[in-house]
Amino acid sequence: MRYALCANAPETKDNDFTWKDFQAKNNSELVAILGNFVHRTHVLTWKYFNGTLPAVAEYTKADLQVMEEIKNSPKKIADALETFHFREALAELMNLARIGNKYLADNEPWKAITHNPKRVQTVLNVSLQICANLSVLMRPFMPFTADKLCTLLNIQPLSWDAAGNSNLLHDGHQLAESFMLFERIEDEQIEKQIEKLHKSITVNLQAPTVIPQKNSIVFEDFEKTDIRVGTIKSAEKVAGADKLLKLTVDTGIDVRTVVSGIAKFYEADKIIGQQVCILVNLAPRKLRGIESQGMILMAEEPDGKLVFVSPTKLNTADGAIVK
């Protein structure tokens, strides 16, 4: 499967989509990088500060470097988007999440909390400011996930102009309860999608079986048929017959019983009121002991499914003659 990112995109290749690549990108980037950083930051804030944004104690050189990355990210992403470099723009977004993960790993707040809790305050404050910026910067790519991140942070969606600031969240701000932004996609789920895709391709490649045209008839032969529009008034399954429905049809000239082999495709209670085309002058015949007085006209799709032949719009009363 192939699709172009944009008609005017300077990127010279189409994207090749495979379910395996989709799984790998989801698990190794969205889950392991972006989702992991947000989740760790959120969980640690709840664990150490009851879910409230701690105040900065003192910035270190490392903190200021991270804040500079926050400041520069919006322009990098915007410049790439404006020139249709979508992969580059998305890479810049993921890079900010990578910076956040490295920042947490380098500062190890889970260890520092025992001997330097004020340092942990600053680390989690900076980390949450990264999360708030990510909620803005991811919106062009993942608007629904951006909304979920705003819910996690307990904030309203912010404008693009807000991105780049390291004080989007204020001291004491209360976070919402924790949940995962992304879920891992397991092999079993991908195998089901691949199987579905292969079935779809097989069906599409198969040439439909077309029933040959019958022998030609003259107009006088067709004139012998009396086809009218009728309305199904009641329907029930025929006992002992999986395929048959017993229909009561108002033809406009009378109300008659018709036995039709459509039970596999329609539930009896769902077709009450359905307008149908019915051949009313077909000689009656008994089916399962029921006299069938006519034939409901049906169309057969390539897969064998039967569908009603009925008018899309009819302003006259039931019993209109089909010509």
Side-chain angles (χ1 to χ4, degrees):
M1 298 173 63
R2 302 174 70 86
Y3 59 92
L5 281 170
C6 177
N8 297 320
E11 293 157 342
T12 56
K13 295 192 299 182
D14 290 343
N15 268 356
D16 289 324
F17 177 87
T18 70
W19 280 111
K20 285 293 186 181
D21 286 345
F22 175 76
Q23 179 189 25
K25 290 290 185 182
N26 178 82
N27 293 350
S28 64
E29 295 191 16
L30 294 182
V31 174
I33 298 173
L34 181 53
N36 181 56
F37 167 65
V38 171
H39 186 66
R40 287 201 297 171
T41 299
H42 199 271
V43 168
L44 290 172
T45 305
W46 269 101
K47 183 175 182 179
Y48 302 139
F49 301 104
N50 202 30
T52 60
L53 180 71
V56 172
E58 181 181 0
Y59 287 127
T60 65
K61 182 179 179 181
D63 300 330
L64 295 175
Q65 287 176 340
V66 170
M67 290 164 64
E68 188 67 19
E69 293 288 352
I70 294 174
K71 179 181 177 181
N72 294 333
S73 288
K75 186 176 187 308
K76 292 179 181 178
I77 294 174
D79 287 347
L81 287 174
E82 287 174 359
T83 55
F84 304 108
H85 288 89
F86 302 114
R87 298 181 187 89
E88 181 182 328
L90 187 55
E92 290 293 346
L93 171 69
M94 295 304 299
N95 186 54
L96 183 59
R98 286 188 176 89
I99 289 170
N101 270 318
K102 185 176 186 303
Y103 177 69
L104 281 179
D106 290 345
N107 287 280
E108 299 182 314
W110 47 89
K111 292 183 179 179
I113 193 66
T114 60
H115 61 275
N116 193 357
K118 286 192 175 296
R119 178 61 191 151
V120 176
Q121 288 182 209
T122 302
V123 170
L124 291 182
N125 185 294
V126 172
S127 297
L128 284 169
Q129 302 299 346
I130 295 175
C131 291
N133 276 271
L134 288 171
S135 76
V136 180
L137 300 175
M138 71 168 58
R139 190 164 293 279
F141 312 98
M142 297 172 281
F144 299 118
T145 305
D147 287 340
K148 289 173 66 176
L149 182 48
C150 286
T151 299
L152 266 177
L153 297 174
N154 194 24
I155 60 174
Q156 293 297 315
L158 302 169
S159 69
W160 184 268
D161 292 338
N165 294 311
S166 54
N167 59 351
L168 295 181
L169 303 177
H170 302 297
D171 296 352
H173 177 77
Q174 181 66 51
L175 305 178
E177 293 292 335
S178 184
F179 61 85
M180 301 295 291
L181 279 184
F182 305 99
E183 294 183 1
R184 280 186 57 83
I185 298 176
E186 303 300 336
D187 291 341
E188 294 78 10
Q189 296 169 275
I190 293 300
E191 290 304 322
K192 286 181 180 179
Q193 293 300 327
I194 293 175
E195 182 181 353
K196 186 188 299 184
L197 179 62
H198 287 164
K199 285 182 179 179
S200 175
I201 292 173
T202 301
V203 170
N204 289 335
L205 290 177
Q206 289 176 345
T209 302
V210 179
I211 299 174
Q213 178 183 308
K214 295 182 179 179
N215 294 334
S216 298
I217 62 172
V218 296
F219 182 69
E220 286 72 17
D221 291 331
F222 176 75
E223 274 193 315
K224 295 176 184 178
T225 64
D226 189 345
I227 303 173
R228 303 196 179 216
V229 175
T231 301
I232 298 175
K233 295 299 184 182
S234 67
E236 60 183 86
K237 292 199 70 172
V238 175
D242 294 336
K243 297 181 180 180
L244 300 180
L245 289 183
K246 176 184 175 183
L247 311 176
T248 301
V249 182
D250 185 345
T251 67
I253 55 174
D254 57 17
V255 176
R256 61 178 64 194
T257 298
V258 178
V259 178
S260 183
I262 59 174
K264 286 178 58 178
F265 311 105
Y266 294 97
E267 296 179 26
D269 59 342
K270 298 291 178 61
I271 59 174
I272 308 302
Q274 170 74 44
Q275 283 192 318
V276 296
C277 288
I278 176 172
L279 180 61
V280 295
N281 64 334
L282 182 67
R285 61 177 295 195
K286 281 195 174 183
L287 296 170
R288 293 280 178 161
I290 304 169
E291 186 174 71
S292 182
Q293 304 164 310
M295 177 183 289
I296 305 296
L297 300 191
M298 309 293 293
E300 185 176 5
E301 295 183 339
D303 61 0
K305 180 181 179 181
L306 297 180
V307 294
F308 287 113
V309 175
S310 59
T312 57
K313 184 176 181 182
L314 183 65
N315 294 322
T316 60
D318 290 345
I321 299 174
V322 179
K323 292 186 177 181

